[in-house]
Amino acid sequence: MLDDFHYARAQSLEHALALLEEHQPRARVIAGGTNLLVNLRGGRDRPEFVVDVSRLGDELGRIQRRDGSLEIGSLATLTDVARSEVLLADSAARLLALSAREFANPLVRNRATIGGNIIDGSPAADAVPPLLALDARLRLVSRARGGRVVRLADFYLGYRRSVLEPDELLVAIEVPAAEPRTGCGWYKLGLRQSDAISIVSAACVLTVDGDERCANVRIGLGAVAPTVVRATAAERVLTGARLDEPSIQAAGNATSEEVRPISDVRATAAYRRLMSGVLVNRTVRQALRQATGEQANGR
Amino acid sequence: MDVELILNGEKVRVPVRRHSQTLLELLRDEVGQTDVKEGCGKGDCGACNVLLDGKAVNSCLVLALQADGCSVVTLRGLGSGEQLHPIQTAMIEHGGIQCGFCTPGMVISLAACLQENPSPSRAEIREAISGNLCRCTGYHKIVDAAESAAAEMRGEAGDRARARLL
């Protein structure tokens, strides 16, 4: 039995923001509940007030393409994301849909929201490396100050800490539409094939230029630092370079040198260091294959 | 404080004792719906799986209040007693049940799978039950049962009466 709390169901975004403003900082938002209820059960969180936004999916759960970008509502479930034709049709954003297929398990995916995964802020959060690689922007709203846009790269301050104010709600995530000749790659390493906390995860978005050199690359790495991070050393090795065996290997090696993971119940730091290089290698290859050869859409 | 559910096709109004009461607790403690099992209470095992507005979810991770106005289908809503669902029959026939504790949640996941995909591959079946832990069977016979039930539900298994879908 969980400790009790006050509860209100938000009837609209405005209502949710009013409730957050009134009850901050002791309020928590519940959407899918797949993190919050686990934290409550484990005694890691004891909110006084819970604001339920789970019925705002019509307003905040859509995935759509507008002009040069794709917008994902924060209440889109991981199932919605995994199946989104809008995302799958974009040669970069499909990365998010592909990673969502391996997120937790189908029961959790039917409830967990992409916004919840971002806000929970685990360094192993599986939606975050793809979004970092996609250069995502977050739209945050409060009643007092209105809306603001924060780059995901600037969002986390440290382990499970972010710039989100107690009266703010994450309403949408925006990623730019893919450039031509762009591909993506995803690899999640876990102790089993489903329902696993990532030991290391890697997400890569790569654009090639006319000379088959790397015009642009972004790689997100999960579970190797207090927050999800970019594989900046690998990115430096690859940007502008010929995308051949030596350069990709060098990128992987640079990653292993750069990361400072911890040892925990799932893996040692040494294993994570080694695997981060392997995963960068694999995801860069995946992205390159897609960028240079195959069709962008389809599964 | 109460919630209204369409529970296995029937409209019911159920008292909610605490805001923090989960749908699992509500179903078992208030309604006596003990065909929903608590394995871990924190979304790791899938034993408490129900269909909430048609989607398979861990009922231990849903607040009872969040289910207000929703349709909830538990194992008994699929079949019981004299009227077993084809998945239940297949599970019995193929040895997909040992202790039985994971079985309600397993059947719910399979029902959701076959609802969406009447001809799943073995890999797709395994994917569909990837949120349901079984300590007894090793899963093979559960997958066998699912394939068999899928064939039955497609009308490919002979003279048996067509199964009631969800």
Side-chain angles (χ1 to χ4, degrees), chain B residues 68-81:
Chain B
D68 189 26
C70 294
S71 140
V72 176
V73 175
T74 71
L75 181 68
R76 278 203 211 112
L78 297 181
S80 67

Side-chain angles (χ1 to χ4, degrees), chain A residues 29-47:
Chain A
V29 172
I30 190 170
T34 53
N35 273 321
L36 185 67
L37 290 188
V38 177
N39 290 340
L40 293 182
R41 182 112 185 178
R44 281 182 298 280
D45 213 346
R46 285 194 181 84

Side-chain angles (χ1 to χ4, degrees), chain A residues 117-118 120-129 156 158-161 197-201 220-229 262 264 266:
Chain A
N117 192 240
I118 294 168
D120 181 63
S122 166
D126 282 337
V128 180
Y156 296 111
Y159 178 70
R160 292 184 185 273
R161 282 185 309 116
I197 297 176
S198 296
I199 291 173
V200 182
S201 62
L221 287 175
V224 294
T227 68
V228 176
V229 293
I262 59 168
D264 66 10
R266 283 175 286 282

Side-chain angles (χ1 to χ4, degrees), chain A residues 114-277:
Chain A
I114 190 157
N117 192 240
I118 294 168
I119 298 301
D120 181 63
S122 166
D126 282 337
V128 180
L131 288 173
L132 253 195
L134 290 165
D135 200 18
R137 281 166 161 67
L138 307 180
R139 219 160 350 107
L140 311 174
V141 189
S142 69
R143 190 165 181 264
R145 298 173 306 286
R148 62 173 176 143
V149 174
V150 177
R151 286 182 67 224
L152 180 59
D154 301 327
F155 183 68
Y156 296 111
L157 298 170
Y159 178 70
R160 292 184 185 273
R161 282 185 309 116
S162 74
V163 301
L164 185 78
E165 298 289 349
D167 63 345
E168 270 181 325
L169 193 70
L170 169 62
V171 295
I173 301 106
E174 217 176 83
V175 299
E179 305 274 311
R181 308 204 81 211
T182 294
C184 61
W186 163 254
Y187 202 98
K188 172 178 173 146
L189 182 66
L191 288 173
R192 55 190 181 190
Q193 288 182 44
S194 177
D195 211 7
I197 297 176
S198 296
I199 291 173
V200 182
S201 62
C204 174
V205 175
L206 178 87
T207 305
V208 300
D209 66 17
D211 288 327
E212 308 292 318
R213 286 176 180 272
C214 172
N216 193 29
V217 65
R218 283 185 305 266
I219 302 167
L221 287 175
V224 294
T227 68
V228 176
V229 293
R230 291 265 296 267
T232 49
E235 291 173 358
R236 277 195 298 274
V237 166
L238 292 171
T239 305
R242 282 237 101 82
L243 289 161
D244 52 22
E245 181 74 35
S247 66
I248 296 175
Q249 191 60 41
N253 293 341
T255 306
S256 294
E257 297 282 303
E258 184 183 40
V259 294
R260 294 283 181 274
I262 59 168
S263 294
D264 66 10
V265 292
R266 283 175 286 282
T268 61
Y271 183 67
R272 285 194 161 103
R273 256 200 302 280
L274 188 61
M275 289 300 112
S276 61

